[in-house]
Amino acid sequence: MQRWMHSLVVVMAALASATAHAERYAVLVGVSELAHQPRSLWLDGPRHDVAAVQATLAAQGITAARTTVLADGVAGATLPTQAAILQAMDALTPRLVAGDSVLLYWSGHGVRNPAPRKASQEPDGLDEYLLARDAQVHRRTGALHGAVRDAALGARIDAWQARGAQVFAVFDTCHAASSTRTAAPAGLRWRGLQTSQLGSGNPPTGLAEVLPAPRHRPASVVFYASESHQRTPEWKGAGLFTQALLAAWTPATPSYRALATTTLQHYQRLAATLPMARSVWPSPLFEGNLDAPLWGRSTAPTTAPLADAKPSMPLPSGVQAQLTLQRPGQPPQERAITSTDLGTLPAGTTLLVRIRNTSGHSLDMALTHQPATGPAQVVYPALLGDSNRLEAGDPNNPALWQQGFTLTDDGAGPESLLLRLAPAQPQSLPRNLGLDDTKGPAPWQARIRWQVKG
């Protein structure tokens, strides 16, 4: 689920009490039944996932009074309609004070839809939606109703963090849909649908929201069950990722990295027992400062200048990296990205970096801007704490990413962009921005240098 919610952009985090009176809260969502859809699209696992998470949270100090449950098939829970979910998240906001912690957990189906233009665009031009109980497609307009868009979740998380709260978000959902799978063995279900699979009707007017651009969330931690182009399985009535997470999560777990590492170990052991090929195992994603203590406050990572690694590896097959340079009043010039010095450029010059991935596998990617003085500035991932994974694409459905820059003359001297790309390792923890550690293959890299004169 490369970034399901890349801009998702939907991101989240789990963190802890900073004051003596800080509280821990949880919002748990489990959507098993789709009231307007055929039963063949329903899931059995979310109701069991939510109940299992509730039991684990009791050991984490989150009381029933501070836990909001929106799930079908769970005693005492509110039905998980789109309106009820968003209202529950909004209702929690004024209760939060600095130092509080919030766990947001969601188990159910996800779909992807064409995205409206927004500040942080998905590589494939799609938004991710989590299906609520009342999901259906409007018969006349084709609009998706009864689903929560990634940006709507992100706006609520921003509101929680604006109150000084920490957030831990876990999504045992899929953001991709595929109808190419063969029939699943008994007990194995894939979470994730195509919008075209959903039945249509005449739902009431949906919630109209004007959502702000996503904010940087440097203190957040988010666990996703899969990359945005993948689906995640449930096995015999429970989400595979949730099973692995809860097996790993104990009161003694010291950090998010420890939780993520042990979750992956359990996940791989569980997946190996399922009647499915390893080639279709999803790759869980983990975002944020994983070195923060579990239920402890995360801090924003700082970025020092990144040194060039030598030698640079070849550009991965099926990947194109292009630079378009346009000086004021002149036609654009396009070239393949290589390490180069563009020399002196006039103020107002624009640079456009474009990555096209048709390799069939995901990429680990980092793009940083090194000004003449001061720390490097992260360009990709777009939000600090996001995963640096660029999703998979193929020749028929390429994954595209681009970012433009307008150069200004601050008189400070030479500056540069450093781009690094490497094939992503399945079922792996995030790599650092240098992509030069031991967690995967050495990266291809290119540094583009220039100086601006007014």
Side-chain angles (χ1 to χ4, degrees):
M1 56 186 233
Q2 187 229 346
R3 41 197 60 229
W4 197 101
M5 300 173 146
H6 165 303
S7 321
L8 170 341
V9 160
V10 150
V11 308
M12 322 180 180
L15 306 113
S17 321
T19 71
H21 302 291
E23 300 288 356
R24 294 177 180 175
Y25 296 87
V27 177
L28 312 181
V29 181
V31 184
S32 298
E33 301 175 2
L34 301 174
H36 302 293
Q37 304 303 323
R39 287 180 177 266
S40 60
L41 300 185
W42 293 14
L43 295 168
D44 188 42
R47 67 191 68 199
H48 303 300
D49 292 343
V50 165
V53 172
Q54 280 183 286
T56 296
L57 293 183
Q60 304 293 325
I62 300 181
T63 65
R66 293 183 174 84
T67 301
T68 302
V69 182
L70 302 109
D72 35 34
V74 176
T78 301
L79 288 178
T81 63
Q82 179 201 38
I85 293 166
L86 295 179
Q87 287 168 7
M89 295 181 72
D90 290 338
L92 178 58
T93 302
R95 298 176 62 187
L96 299 174
V97 299
D100 285 348
S101 309
V102 182
L103 169 69
L104 174 63
Y105 172 86
W106 192 309
S107 175
H109 272 310
V111 301
R112 306 170 90 189
N113 253 8
R117 295 298 303 174
K118 56 184 180 181
S120 183
Q121 202 69 15
E122 303 284 354
D124 55 8
L126 300 176
D127 267 344
E128 284 75 35
Y129 292 78
L130 298 180
L131 297 188
R133 177 182 171 84
D134 50 332
Q136 61 181 313
V137 175
H138 196 286
R139 181 174 290 116
R140 181 175 57 83
T141 66
L144 178 61
H145 291 256
V148 179
R149 184 156 65 101
D150 51 11
L153 284 175
R156 269 75 185 177
I157 291 168
D158 287 342
W160 290 347
Q161 293 193 146
R163 301 281 296 180
Q166 318 307 316
V167 187
F168 180 26
V170 177
F171 295 94
D172 195 348
T173 62
C174 311
H175 318 126
S178 172
S179 58
T180 62
R181 306 282 189 201
T182 57
L188 178 65
R189 293 289 307 278
W190 291 97
R191 295 178 177 179
L193 298 171
Q194 292 177 329
T195 307
S196 59
Q197 293 176 262
L198 298 175
S200 61
N202 295 301
T205 302
L207 298 176
E209 294 189 283
V210 178
L211 299 172
R215 300 179 185 179
H216 290 280
R217 303 186 185 105
S220 67
V221 175
V222 192
F223 287 11
Y224 297 106
S226 65
E227 297 187 41
S228 61
H229 64 285
Q230 296 174 330
R231 297 191 298 172
T232 189
E234 63 177 47
W235 174 239
K236 295 184 177 178
L240 189 70
F241 183 72
T242 297
Q243 293 180 55
L245 173 71
L246 297 184
W249 192 357
T250 72
T253 302
S255 68
Y256 293 105
R257 184 172 299 280
L259 180 58
T261 299
T262 310
T263 295
L264 277 179
Q265 292 170 352
H266 284 287
Y267 187 89
Q268 291 165 353
R269 284 197 290 267
L270 286 169
T273 68
L274 267 60
M276 62 180 187
R278 187 178 184 119
S279 61
V280 300
W281 290 10
S283 291
L285 281 184
F286 306 92
E287 296 183 349
N289 181 9
L290 300 182
D291 293 316
L294 196 64
W295 298 114
R297 186 170 186 85
S298 175
T299 56
T302 57
T303 305
L306 297 177
D308 293 345
K310 299 184 189 313
S312 175
M313 297 295 105
L315 186 66
S317 177
V319 179
Q320 293 179 324
Q322 299 291 128
L323 175 69
T324 301
L325 181 151
Q326 186 169 17
R327 296 174 175 83
Q330 297 188 23
Q333 301 173 328
E334 185 165 314
R335 64 180 76 182
I337 292 179
T338 58
S339 291
T340 186
D341 191 336
L342 300 176
T344 300
L345 299 173
T349 296
T350 60
L351 301 178
L352 179 68
V353 176
R354 182 185 297 107
I355 308 300
R356 187 173 187 267
N357 181 18
T358 62
S359 65
H361 54 69
S362 301
L363 301 173
D364 285 333
M365 170 174 155
L367 179 62
T368 55
H369 171 233
Q370 180 62 60
T373 59
Q377 300 164 350
V378 179
V379 178
Y380 184 91
L383 301 179
L384 287 175
D386 273 8
S387 168
N388 62 354
R389 194 144 296 177
L390 185 66
E391 68 186 39
D394 57 47
N396 295 322
N397 298 286
L400 303 172
W401 180 90
Q402 66 180 34
Q403 178 71 52
F405 309 86
T406 300
L407 307 186
T408 58
D409 181 15
D410 57 9
E415 51 191 315
S416 65
L417 287 171
L418 178 61
L419 174 65
R420 284 181 165 145
L421 294 167
Q425 297 294 98
Q427 293 91 42
S428 63
L429 290 179
R431 301 178 68 181
N432 62 23
L433 284 171
L435 304 187
D436 54 0
D437 54 14
T438 60
K439 298 176 183 176
W444 168 88
Q445 70 167 16
R447 186 181 292 274
I448 306 166
R449 297 177 173 84
W450 70 89
Q451 185 165 349
V452 181
K453 294 294 184 181

